[in-house]
Amino acid sequence: MPKNEKLKSILIIGSGPIIIGQACEFDYSGSQALRSLREDGIETVLINSNPATIMTDPSMADHVYLLPLTTKSIIKILKEHPHIDAVLPTMGGQTALNLCIEADEKGIWKDFDVEIIGVNIDAINITEDREKFRELMLEIGVGMAPQETATSFLKGKEIAQEFGFPLCIRASFTLGGAGASIVYNEDEFDESLTRGLEISPIHEVMIDKAMMGWKEYELELLRDKNDNVVIICTIENMDPMGIHTGDSITVAPAMTLSDKTFQKMRDMAIHMMRSIGDFAGGCNVQFAVSPDEEEEIIAIEINPRVSRSSALASKATGYPIAKIAAKLALGYTLDELSNQITKSTSALFEPTLDYVIVKIPRWNFDKFEGSDRTLGLQMKAVGEVMAIGRSFQEALHKATQSLEIKRNGLGADGKGYKDYQQIIDKLTYASWDRVFAIYDAIQMGIPLSRIHEITKIDMWFLKQYEELYHLEKEISTFTIDTIERDLLLEAKQKGYGDRQIAHMLKCLESQVYNKRDEFNINRVYKLVDTCAAEFKAQTPYYYSTFENEVETPNGEKFSASESVVSDKKKIIVLGSGPNRIGQGIEFDYCCVHGVLASAECGYETIMINCNPETVSTDFDIADKLYFEPVFWEHIYDIIRHEKPEGVIVQLGGQTALKLAEKLDRYGIKIIGTTYQSLDLAEDRGSFSTLLKENNIPYPEFDTASTADEALAVADKLDFPILVRPSYVLGGQGMKIVINKKELEEHVVDLLRKIPNNKLLLDHYLDGAIEAEADAICDGENVYIIGIMEHIEPCGIHSGDSNATLPPFNLGEFVMQQIKDHTKKIALALNTVGLINIQFAVKDDMVYIIEANPRASRTVPFIAKAYGEPYVNYATKVMLGEKKVTDFDFKPHLEGYAIKQPVFSFNKFPNVNKKLGPEMKSTGESILFIDSLKDDEFYNLYSRRKMYLSK
């Protein structure tokens, strides 16, 4: 039983829609906390407005409120649940903390007799108020950069004069580095100071002397009520100070610290946590260390909550920080709790890593034309990948292979930069692809000392890069027939993919794969066990590596794999990789439900994914988790090792779908809709032929693969024309063009970015209404789970549109056409599982825009709005366990549910904010209204055409 017997019912505040700086990590930590509290028989009440996440699934909490994160909503919930004893605000990022503070200032917690657990208000105030924090640090003897607070423009100018440039400006009480910047001269300073003062809710900024080039570290701590403190993980940023940690490449454990400095840093972190307040829970501390012999340590900041990095630290160590933090908030002590991985040791221990973790952020600058692509104090990444390897080099390679940016790893893929000035610029102004540019610089012969001087990246990391380059040079002197076993093994141990080795040896990827088989160089799977194999781990959480063979006394050679294959029937679910615009957390929601439904059908479930922020990569969701790149070579090796009944690809977005062709070619069974049907829906030409055969209307169109062909098509179609590439997600590269000049420019640009693509040119239905339907089909029966009408007109990407469920403005005649077309298309495509179809309605005629026979972005929204587990049902249909007719569908929704997109344009101040066919939103919220007379609906409807851009 929890030690604080008074706590029977707890309110958890979620983090709301996903924005840059506050993403799925908090969905993961919130989900863990909910599960942790329910284990203790606590009634859980959740408020969160995000419909796309697992956290707001009805199965996660006893009461889920999909309401706006406001004090008005908090009062409503507390009135409905007067027996709530406490609020846990540390799992929902800065949004939850800010709401908790606001409710405290308004006396709401006092009025309803609700205790705050997991943190105290004083601790939040001290850490957020940079002036108070600075005073406290100086009092306890922790060094900080010279800094002062400004609450006016004039004061800011005075401070700048005193400190001299470069300077850091940080706004108080903001998230993801909003309003923060480094300034090098007076002109930049005035603009940044004004912006920082405006963005801060209390109009306050902290101005520090910039510690450019200092090394940056983060520590994740947990403390219980008896003042036991454990440090779960120490993370080193490969990028030095000056780049937000969310935009930095990070490594665990710390690589370049002397032991003496490491111990000193640990002591300082514990001292800081104890001094900011007396609370039990998680804490994240950031430090800077001077890059010289002295290794002077200064504190940057401390967050008394589960942070963005704690999701990474949890996945890196196998120690579930949020789960344990929730238990500590209940009053447990660390020594009373068991280690979740070994089950036999206590949670009062510090994980030991016998592997290396590398995290690389994932950006989406292509969605923000004209945006400043250099990295700085303000976070710009939309997601991240994590990789596990036996060495930094292996983990770095695996992380670059996970990014899904058409790179096969570092170098050796013919896609590096060759221009000296371009490389120098990318190193000087930290670019999103600097991780690759460093390799290109070494390849060009730029000395390491020069690269270090420009980037201030520690020499240790640069030498690791240099070793990789020397290895590539050596391998390139061989052919596939002359390469020796030891050299090939070394390349694999350092993380090079078969594709990269094939590039070096000038042969095919399959030849390298066969050569490895011949040499018996096979992947082995190792456990993430939190304790460097000192104790037996009970949790099947694996990563791959390559080992030298061991010879037994009787002459047998082998390398040990810790992943034991059972004789149960198995299903592999392919995850959706890093979060990005167009493919977000909705697909992680679908993957988790796919795993749980497969387990209900008696299968052993196997998850493959590389995203550290999400619930699908939690160590106890699937029977086995392979934390590996969703990259062909890794997946194929796992399939060969596990021999599953089949692979589910339709829940992991475009990432998983793109692998369907390879799976099909290698004779691996795809569960549900076949590759042929998936391909037919993606190939715009074949799909339109299918529509024609079924007498289903679609906008006039033609296809083109060159600019000349596109111009010829334009003579047949009327402008405006919508140009779309095949096989892309989130409307990538889509544009409405209104004349031949625009058409030619866009087509040339597209084919440069996506060579050999088949482009579809549609006559754009100006002023049409857009709608979409999601359905489940078993090959014979079709059940439409929801039809949504977009408030914005056709031409704005469905992910950026406000959409209502059910439709508010479509007559019976139109609705019947939508239903008929949906059923016809689902059956014609031989769909088994989920399908999403998008329509344009003009003059009461329903035209088909596109069909996707997979889980769509809207499925979680419809499931939450109607209170039905649609992905669970669809998975059982895919597995052939059930027919659509076996389910008793009972959707329930009073009034309307509106899906509202949320944008992160504030991170890119100079970007065109107009909306069009290419998706730009980073997340969404759900709004329930009783009737169309609701003011909020009226407001949305009146603004619907404002942003349309052609």
Side-chain angles (χ1 to χ4, degrees), residues 483-530:
I483 191 163
E484 294 156 5
R485 185 183 189 278
D486 285 355
L487 192 58
L488 187 55
L489 175 62
E490 188 185 350
K492 295 309 290 178
Q493 286 179 326
K494 293 197 166 172
Y496 277 110
D498 289 352
R499 279 181 206 172
Q500 290 173 289
I501 296 168
H503 181 85
M504 298 176 213
L505 298 173
K506 299 181 179 57
C507 66
L508 298 171
E509 181 183 359
S510 53
Q511 288 175 280
V512 177
Y513 199 90
N514 295 338
K515 191 73 171 179
R516 283 207 286 120
D517 250 9
E518 185 191 312
F519 279 151
N520 207 17
I521 299 175
N522 296 314
R523 272 193 170 76
V524 291
Y525 296 98
K526 297 289 177 189
L527 272 164
V528 172
D529 61 8
T530 80

CSV table of all heavy atoms in Angstrom, one decimal, residues 483-530:
chain,number,residue,atom,x,y,z
A,483,ILE,N,37.7,-8.6,-49.9
A,483,ILE,CA,37.6,-8.1,-48.5
A,483,ILE,C,37.8,-9.2,-47.5
A,483,ILE,O,37.2,-10.3,-47.8
A,483,ILE,CB,36.3,-7.2,-48.3
A,483,ILE,CG1,36.4,-6.5,-46.9
A,483,ILE,CG2,35.1,-8.1,-48.3
A,483,ILE,CD1,35.4,-5.4,-46.7
A,484,GLU,N,38.5,-9.0,-46.5
A,484,GLU,CA,38.7,-10.0,-45.5
A,484,GLU,C,37.6,-10.0,-44.4
A,484,GLU,O,37.0,-8.9,-44.1
A,484,GLU,CB,40.1,-9.8,-44.8
A,484,GLU,CG,41.2,-10.0,-45.8
A,484,GLU,CD,42.5,-9.3,-45.4
A,484,GLU,OE1,42.5,-8.7,-44.3
A,484,GLU,OE2,43.5,-9.3,-46.1
A,485,ARG,N,37.5,-11.1,-43.7
A,485,ARG,CA,36.4,-11.2,-42.7
A,485,ARG,C,36.6,-10.2,-41.6
A,485,ARG,O,35.6,-9.5,-41.2
A,485,ARG,CB,36.4,-12.6,-42.1
A,485,ARG,CG,35.3,-12.8,-41.1
A,485,ARG,CD,35.3,-14.2,-40.4
A,485,ARG,NE,34.1,-14.4,-39.7
A,485,ARG,CZ,33.8,-13.9,-38.5
A,485,ARG,NH1,34.8,-13.2,-37.8
A,485,ARG,NH2,32.7,-14.1,-37.8
A,486,ASP,N,37.8,-10.0,-41.1
A,486,ASP,CA,38.1,-9.1,-40.0
A,486,ASP,C,37.7,-7.7,-40.3
A,486,ASP,O,37.2,-6.9,-39.5
A,486,ASP,CB,39.5,-9.2,-39.5
A,486,ASP,CG,39.8,-10.5,-38.7
A,486,ASP,OD1,38.8,-11.2,-38.5
A,486,ASP,OD2,40.9,-10.7,-38.4
A,487,LEU,N,38.0,-7.3,-41.5
A,487,LEU,CA,37.7,-5.9,-41.9
A,487,LEU,C,36.2,-5.7,-42.1
A,487,LEU,O,35.7,-4.6,-41.6
A,487,LEU,CB,38.4,-5.6,-43.2
A,487,LEU,CG,38.5,-4.1,-43.6
A,487,LEU,CD1,39.1,-3.2,-42.6
A,487,LEU,CD2,39.2,-3.9,-45.0
A,488,LEU,N,35.5,-6.6,-42.6
A,488,LEU,CA,34.1,-6.5,-42.8
A,488,LEU,C,33.4,-6.5,-41.4
A,488,LEU,O,32.5,-5.7,-41.1
A,488,LEU,CB,33.5,-7.7,-43.6
A,488,LEU,CG,32.1,-7.7,-44.0
A,488,LEU,CD1,31.7,-6.4,-44.7
A,488,LEU,CD2,31.7,-8.9,-44.9
A,489,LEU,N,33.9,-7.4,-40.5
A,489,LEU,CA,33.4,-7.4,-39.1
A,489,LEU,C,33.6,-6.1,-38.4
A,489,LEU,O,32.7,-5.5,-37.8
A,489,LEU,CB,34.0,-8.5,-38.3
A,489,LEU,CG,33.6,-8.6,-36.8
A,489,LEU,CD1,32.1,-8.9,-36.7
A,489,LEU,CD2,34.4,-9.7,-36.1
A,490,GLU,N,34.8,-5.5,-38.6
A,490,GLU,CA,35.0,-4.2,-38.0
A,490,GLU,C,34.1,-3.1,-38.5
A,490,GLU,O,33.6,-2.3,-37.7
A,490,GLU,CB,36.5,-3.7,-38.3
A,490,GLU,CG,36.9,-2.5,-37.5
A,490,GLU,CD,38.3,-1.9,-37.8
A,490,GLU,OE1,39.0,-2.6,-38.5
A,490,GLU,OE2,38.5,-0.8,-37.3
A,491,ALA,N,33.8,-3.1,-39.8
A,491,ALA,CA,32.9,-2.1,-40.4
A,491,ALA,C,31.5,-2.3,-39.8
A,491,ALA,O,30.8,-1.3,-39.4
A,491,ALA,CB,32.8,-2.3,-41.9
A,492,LYS,N,31.1,-3.5,-39.6
A,492,LYS,CA,29.7,-3.8,-39.0
A,492,LYS,C,29.7,-3.4,-37.5
A,492,LYS,O,28.7,-2.8,-37.0
A,492,LYS,CB,29.3,-5.3,-39.1
A,492,LYS,CG,29.1,-5.7,-40.6
A,492,LYS,CD,28.2,-4.9,-41.4
A,492,LYS,CE,26.7,-4.9,-41.0
A,492,LYS,NZ,25.9,-4.0,-41.8
A,493,GLN,N,30.8,-3.7,-36.8
A,493,GLN,CA,30.9,-3.3,-35.4
A,493,GLN,C,30.9,-1.8,-35.2
A,493,GLN,O,30.4,-1.3,-34.2
A,493,GLN,CB,32.1,-3.9,-34.7
A,493,GLN,CG,32.0,-5.4,-34.5
A,493,GLN,CD,33.3,-6.0,-33.9
A,493,GLN,OE1,34.4,-5.6,-34.2
A,493,GLN,NE2,33.1,-7.0,-33.1
A,494,LYS,N,31.3,-1.1,-36.2
A,494,LYS,CA,31.3,0.4,-36.1
A,494,LYS,C,30.0,1.0,-36.7
A,494,LYS,O,29.9,2.2,-36.9
A,494,LYS,CB,32.6,1.0,-36.8
A,494,LYS,CG,33.8,0.6,-36.0
A,494,LYS,CD,35.0,1.4,-36.3
A,494,LYS,CE,36.1,1.1,-35.2
A,494,LYS,NZ,37.4,1.7,-35.5
A,495,GLY,N,29.1,0.1,-37.0
A,495,GLY,CA,27.8,0.6,-37.4
A,495,GLY,C,27.5,0.8,-38.8
A,495,GLY,O,26.4,1.3,-39.2
A,496,TYR,N,28.5,0.6,-39.7
A,496,TYR,CA,28.2,0.8,-41.1
A,496,TYR,C,27.1,-0.2,-41.6
A,496,TYR,O,27.2,-1.3,-41.3
A,496,TYR,CB,29.5,0.6,-42.0
A,496,TYR,CG,30.4,1.8,-42.0
A,496,TYR,CD1,31.6,1.8,-41.3
A,496,TYR,CD2,30.0,2.9,-42.7
A,496,TYR,CE1,32.5,2.9,-41.4
A,496,TYR,CE2,30.9,4.0,-42.7
A,496,TYR,CZ,32.1,4.0,-42.1
A,496,TYR,OH,32.9,5.2,-42.1
A,497,GLY,N,26.2,0.4,-42.4
A,497,GLY,CA,25.1,-0.5,-43.0
A,497,GLY,C,25.6,-1.2,-44.2
A,497,GLY,O,26.6,-0.8,-44.8
A,498,ASP,N,25.0,-2.3,-44.5
A,498,ASP,CA,25.4,-3.0,-45.8
A,498,ASP,C,25.3,-2.1,-47.0
A,498,ASP,O,26.2,-2.3,-47.9
A,498,ASP,CB,24.4,-4.2,-46.0
A,498,ASP,CG,24.6,-5.3,-45.0
A,498,ASP,OD1,25.6,-5.2,-44.2
A,498,ASP,OD2,23.8,-6.2,-44.9
A,499,ARG,N,24.4,-1.2,-47.0
A,499,ARG,CA,24.3,-0.3,-48.2
A,499,ARG,C,25.6,0.6,-48.3
A,499,ARG,O,26.0,0.9,-49.4
A,499,ARG,CB,23.1,0.7,-48.0
A,499,ARG,CG,21.8,0.1,-48.4
A,499,ARG,CD,20.7,1.1,-48.2
A,499,ARG,NE,19.4,0.4,-48.0
A,499,ARG,CZ,18.3,1.0,-47.6
A,499,ARG,NH1,18.3,2.3,-47.5
A,499,ARG,NH2,17.2,0.4,-47.4
A,500,GLN,N,26.1,1.0,-47.1
A,500,GLN,CA,27.3,1.9,-47.1
A,500,GLN,C,28.5,1.1,-47.6
A,500,GLN,O,29.3,1.5,-48.3
A,500,GLN,CB,27.5,2.5,-45.7
A,500,GLN,CG,26.5,3.5,-45.3
A,500,GLN,CD,26.7,3.9,-43.9
A,500,GLN,OE1,26.4,3.1,-43.0
A,500,GLN,NE2,27.2,5.1,-43.6
A,501,ILE,N,28.6,-0.2,-47.1
A,501,ILE,CA,29.7,-1.0,-47.4
A,501,ILE,C,29.7,-1.4,-48.9
A,501,ILE,O,30.7,-1.4,-49.6
A,501,ILE,CB,29.7,-2.3,-46.5
A,501,ILE,CG1,29.9,-1.9,-45.0
A,501,ILE,CG2,30.8,-3.3,-47.0
A,501,ILE,CD1,29.7,-3.0,-44.0
A,502,ALA,N,28.4,-1.6,-49.4
A,502,ALA,CA,28.3,-1.8,-50.8
A,502,ALA,C,28.8,-0.6,-51.7
A,502,ALA,O,29.4,-0.8,-52.7
A,502,ALA,CB,26.8,-2.1,-51.1
A,503,HIS,N,28.5,0.6,-51.1
A,503,HIS,CA,28.9,1.8,-51.8
A,503,HIS,C,30.5,1.9,-51.9
A,503,HIS,O,31.0,2.2,-52.9
A,503,HIS,CB,28.4,3.0,-51.0
A,503,HIS,CG,28.7,4.3,-51.6
A,503,HIS,ND1,28.0,4.9,-52.7
A,503,HIS,CD2,29.7,5.2,-51.4
A,503,HIS,CE1,28.5,6.1,-53.0
A,503,HIS,NE2,29.6,6.3,-52.2
A,504,MET,N,31.1,1.5,-50.7
A,504,MET,CA,32.6,1.5,-50.7
A,504,MET,C,33.2,0.4,-51.6
A,504,MET,O,34.2,0.6,-52.2
A,504,MET,CB,33.1,1.2,-49.3
A,504,MET,CG,32.6,2.2,-48.2
A,504,MET,SD,33.2,1.6,-46.6
A,504,MET,CE,32.0,2.2,-45.5
A,505,LEU,N,32.5,-0.8,-51.7
A,505,LEU,CA,33.1,-1.9,-52.5
A,505,LEU,C,32.6,-1.9,-53.9
A,505,LEU,O,32.9,-2.8,-54.7
A,505,LEU,CB,32.7,-3.2,-51.8
A,505,LEU,CG,33.3,-3.4,-50.4
A,505,LEU,CD1,32.7,-4.7,-49.8
A,505,LEU,CD2,34.8,-3.5,-50.4
A,506,LYS,N,31.7,-0.9,-54.2
A,506,LYS,CA,31.1,-0.8,-55.6
A,506,LYS,C,30.4,-2.1,-56.0
A,506,LYS,O,30.6,-2.6,-57.0
A,506,LYS,CB,32.2,-0.4,-56.6
A,506,LYS,CG,32.8,1.0,-56.3
A,506,LYS,CD,33.8,1.4,-57.3
A,506,LYS,CE,34.5,2.7,-57.1
A,506,LYS,NZ,35.1,2.8,-55.7
A,507,CYS,N,29.5,-2.5,-55.1
A,507,CYS,CA,28.7,-3.7,-55.4
A,507,CYS,C,27.3,-3.5,-54.9
A,507,CYS,O,26.9,-2.4,-54.5
A,507,CYS,CB,29.3,-4.9,-54.8
A,507,CYS,SG,29.3,-4.9,-53.0
A,508,LEU,N,26.5,-4.5,-54.9
A,508,LEU,CA,25.1,-4.4,-54.5
A,508,LEU,C,25.0,-4.7,-53.0
A,508,LEU,O,25.8,-5.5,-52.4
A,508,LEU,CB,24.2,-5.5,-55.2
A,508,LEU,CG,24.1,-5.3,-56.7
A,508,LEU,CD1,23.4,-6.5,-57.3
A,508,LEU,CD2,23.4,-4.0,-57.1
A,509,GLU,N,23.9,-4.1,-52.4
A,509,GLU,CA,23.7,-4.3,-50.9
A,509,GLU,C,23.5,-5.8,-50.6
A,509,GLU,O,24.0,-6.4,-49.7
A,509,GLU,CB,22.4,-3.6,-50.5
A,509,GLU,CG,22.1,-3.7,-49.0
A,509,GLU,CD,20.8,-3.0,-48.6
A,509,GLU,OE1,20.2,-2.4,-49.4
A,509,GLU,OE2,20.5,-3.1,-47.4
A,510,SER,N,22.8,-6.5,-51.5
A,510,SER,CA,22.5,-7.9,-51.3
A,510,SER,C,23.8,-8.8,-51.4
A,510,SER,O,23.9,-9.8,-50.7
A,510,SER,CB,21.5,-8.4,-52.4
A,510,SER,OG,22.0,-8.1,-53.7
A,511,GLN,N,24.8,-8.3,-52.1
A,511,GLN,CA,26.1,-9.0,-52.2
A,511,GLN,C,26.8,-8.9,-50.8
A,511,GLN,O,27.4,-9.9,-50.4
A,511,GLN,CB,27.0,-8.5,-53.3
A,511,GLN,CG,26.5,-8.8,-54.7
A,511,GLN,CD,27.3,-8.2,-55.8
A,511,GLN,OE1,27.1,-7.0,-56.1
A,511,GLN,NE2,28.3,-8.9,-56.3
A,512,VAL,N,26.7,-7.8,-50.2
A,512,VAL,CA,27.4,-7.6,-48.9
A,512,VAL,C,26.6,-8.5,-47.9
A,512,VAL,O,27.3,-9.1,-47.1
A,512,VAL,CB,27.3,-6.1,-48.5
A,512,VAL,CG1,27.9,-5.9,-47.1
A,512,VAL,CG2,28.1,-5.2,-49.4
A,513,TYR,N,25.3,-8.5,-48.0
A,513,TYR,CA,24.5,-9.3,-47.1
A,513,TYR,C,24.9,-10.8,-47.2
A,513,TYR,O,25.1,-11.5,-46.2
A,513,TYR,CB,23.0,-9.1,-47.4
A,513,TYR,CG,22.1,-9.5,-46.2
A,513,TYR,CD1,21.8,-8.6,-45.2
A,513,TYR,CD2,21.6,-10.8,-46.1
A,513,TYR,CE1,20.9,-9.0,-44.2
A,513,TYR,CE2,20.8,-11.2,-45.0
A,513,TYR,CZ,20.5,-10.3,-44.1
A,513,TYR,OH,19.7,-10.7,-43.0
A,514,ASN,N,25.0,-11.2,-48.4
A,514,ASN,CA,25.4,-12.7,-48.7
A,514,ASN,C,26.8,-12.9,-48.2
A,514,ASN,O,27.1,-14.0,-47.7
A,514,ASN,CB,25.3,-13.0,-50.2
A,514,ASN,CG,23.8,-12.9,-50.6
A,514,ASN,OD1,22.9,-13.0,-49.8
A,514,ASN,ND2,23.6,-12.7,-51.9
A,515,LYS,N,27.7,-12.0,-48.4
A,515,LYS,CA,29.1,-12.1,-47.9
A,515,LYS,C,29.1,-12.3,-46.4
A,515,LYS,O,29.9,-13.1,-45.9
A,515,LYS,CB,29.9,-10.9,-48.4
A,515,LYS,CG,31.4,-11.1,-48.2
A,515,LYS,CD,32.0,-12.0,-49.3
A,515,LYS,CE,33.5,-12.1,-49.3
A,515,LYS,NZ,33.9,-13.0,-50.4
A,516,ARG,N,28.3,-11.5,-45.7
A,516,ARG,CA,28.3,-11.6,-44.3
A,516,ARG,C,27.8,-13.0,-43.8
A,516,ARG,O,28.3,-13.6,-42.9
A,516,ARG,CB,27.3,-10.5,-43.7
A,516,ARG,CG,27.8,-9.1,-43.6
A,516,ARG,CD,27.2,-8.3,-42.6
A,516,ARG,NE,25.8,-7.9,-42.8
A,516,ARG,CZ,24.8,-8.3,-42.1
A,516,ARG,NH1,24.9,-9.1,-41.1
A,516,ARG,NH2,23.5,-7.8,-42.4
A,517,ASP,N,26.8,-13.5,-44.6
A,517,ASP,CA,26.3,-14.8,-44.3
A,517,ASP,C,27.4,-15.9,-44.5
A,517,ASP,O,27.6,-16.7,-43.6
A,517,ASP,CB,25.1,-15.1,-45.2
A,517,ASP,CG,23.8,-15.2,-44.5
A,517,ASP,OD1,23.8,-14.8,-43.3
A,517,ASP,OD2,22.8,-15.6,-45.1
A,518,GLU,N,28.1,-15.7,-45.5
A,518,GLU,CA,29.2,-16.6,-45.9
A,518,GLU,C,30.3,-16.6,-44.8
A,518,GLU,O,30.8,-17.6,-44.3
A,518,GLU,CB,29.8,-16.2,-47.2
A,518,GLU,CG,30.9,-17.1,-47.8
A,518,GLU,CD,31.5,-16.4,-49.0
A,518,GLU,OE1,30.8,-15.8,-49.9
A,518,GLU,OE2,32.8,-16.3,-49.0
A,519,PHE,N,30.6,-15.4,-44.3
A,519,PHE,CA,31.6,-15.2,-43.2
A,519,PHE,C,31.1,-15.5,-41.8
A,519,PHE,O,31.8,-15.4,-40.8
A,519,PHE,CB,32.2,-13.8,-43.2
A,519,PHE,CG,33.2,-13.5,-44.3
A,519,PHE,CD1,33.4,-12.2,-44.8
A,519,PHE,CD2,34.1,-14.5,-44.7
A,519,PHE,CE1,34.3,-12.0,-45.8
A,519,PHE,CE2,35.1,-14.3,-45.7
A,519,PHE,CZ,35.2,-13.0,-46.2
A,520,ASN,N,29.8,-15.7,-41.8
A,520,ASN,CA,29.1,-15.9,-40.5
A,520,ASN,C,29.2,-14.7,-39.6
A,520,ASN,O,29.4,-14.8,-38.4
A,520,ASN,CB,29.7,-17.1,-39.8
A,520,ASN,CG,28.6,-17.8,-38.8
A,520,ASN,OD1,27.4,-17.5,-38.9
A,520,ASN,ND2,29.1,-18.6,-37.9
A,521,ILE,N,29.0,-13.5,-40.2
A,521,ILE,CA,29.0,-12.2,-39.4
A,521,ILE,C,27.6,-11.9,-39.3
A,521,ILE,O,26.9,-11.3,-40.2
A,521,ILE,CB,29.8,-11.1,-40.2
A,521,ILE,CG1,31.2,-11.5,-40.4
A,521,ILE,CG2,29.7,-9.8,-39.5
A,521,ILE,CD1,32.0,-10.5,-41.2
A,522,ASN,N,27.0,-12.3,-38.1
A,522,ASN,CA,25.6,-12.0,-37.9
A,522,ASN,C,25.3,-11.1,-36.7
A,522,ASN,O,26.1,-11.2,-35.8
A,522,ASN,CB,24.9,-13.4,-37.7
A,522,ASN,CG,24.9,-14.3,-38.9
A,522,ASN,OD1,24.7,-13.8,-40.0
A,522,ASN,ND2,25.3,-15.5,-38.8
A,523,ARG,N,24.2,-10.4,-36.8
A,523,ARG,CA,23.8,-9.6,-35.7
A,523,ARG,C,23.5,-10.5,-34.5
A,523,ARG,O,22.9,-11.5,-34.6
A,523,ARG,CB,22.5,-8.8,-36.0
A,523,ARG,CG,22.7,-7.5,-36.6
A,523,ARG,CD,21.5,-6.7,-36.7
A,523,ARG,NE,21.9,-5.4,-37.1
A,523,ARG,CZ,22.2,-5.1,-38.4
A,523,ARG,NH1,22.1,-6.0,-39.3
A,523,ARG,NH2,22.7,-3.9,-38.7
A,524,VAL,N,23.9,-10.0,-33.3
A,524,VAL,CA,23.5,-10.6,-32.1
A,524,VAL,C,22.7,-9.6,-31.3
A,524,VAL,O,22.9,-8.4,-31.4
A,524,VAL,CB,24.7,-11.2,-31.2
A,524,VAL,CG1,25.3,-12.4,-31.9
A,524,VAL,CG2,25.7,-10.1,-30.9
A,525,TYR,N,21.8,-10.1,-30.5
A,525,TYR,CA,20.9,-9.2,-29.7
A,525,TYR,C,21.2,-9.2,-28.2
A,525,TYR,O,21.4,-10.3,-27.7
A,525,TYR,CB,19.4,-9.5,-30.0
A,525,TYR,CG,19.1,-9.4,-31.4
A,525,TYR,CD1,19.1,-10.4,-32.3
A,525,TYR,CD2,18.9,-8.1,-31.9
A,525,TYR,CE1,18.9,-10.2,-33.7
A,525,TYR,CE2,18.6,-7.9,-33.3
A,525,TYR,CZ,18.6,-9.0,-34.2
A,525,TYR,OH,18.4,-8.8,-35.5
A,526,LYS,N,21.4,-8.0,-27.7
A,526,LYS,CA,21.8,-7.9,-26.3
A,526,LYS,C,20.6,-7.2,-25.5
A,526,LYS,O,19.9,-6.4,-26.0
A,526,LYS,CB,23.0,-7.0,-26.2
A,526,LYS,CG,24.2,-7.6,-26.9
A,526,LYS,CD,24.7,-8.8,-26.1
A,526,LYS,CE,25.9,-9.5,-26.8
A,526,LYS,NZ,26.2,-10.8,-26.2
A,527,LEU,N,20.6,-7.5,-24.2
A,527,LEU,CA,19.5,-6.9,-23.4
A,527,LEU,C,19.9,-5.6,-22.8
A,527,LEU,O,21.1,-5.3,-22.5
A,527,LEU,CB,19.3,-7.8,-22.1
A,527,LEU,CG,18.4,-9.0,-22.3
A,527,LEU,CD1,18.6,-10.0,-21.1
A,527,LEU,CD2,16.9,-8.5,-22.2
A,528,VAL,N,18.9,-4.7,-22.7
A,528,VAL,CA,19.1,-3.5,-22.0
A,528,VAL,C,18.7,-3.9,-20.6
A,528,VAL,O,17.5,-4.1,-20.3
A,528,VAL,CB,18.2,-2.3,-22.5
A,528,VAL,CG1,18.2,-1.1,-21.6
A,528,VAL,CG2,18.6,-2.0,-23.9
A,529,ASP,N,19.7,-4.0,-19.6
A,529,ASP,CA,19.3,-4.6,-18.4
A,529,ASP,C,19.5,-3.7,-17.1
A,529,ASP,O,19.4,-4.1,-16.0
A,529,ASP,CB,20.1,-5.9,-18.2
A,529,ASP,CG,21.6,-5.7,-18.2
A,529,ASP,OD1,22.0,-4.5,-18.2
A,529,ASP,OD2,22.3,-6.7,-18.2
A,530,THR,N,19.9,-2.4,-17.3
A,530,THR,CA,20.1,-1.4,-16.3
A,530,THR,C,21.3,-1.7,-15.3
A,530,THR,O,21.7,-0.9,-14.6
A,530,THR,CB,18.9,-1.2,-15.4
A,530,THR,OG1,18.8,-2.2,-14.4
A,530,THR,CG2,17.6,-1.1,-16.2
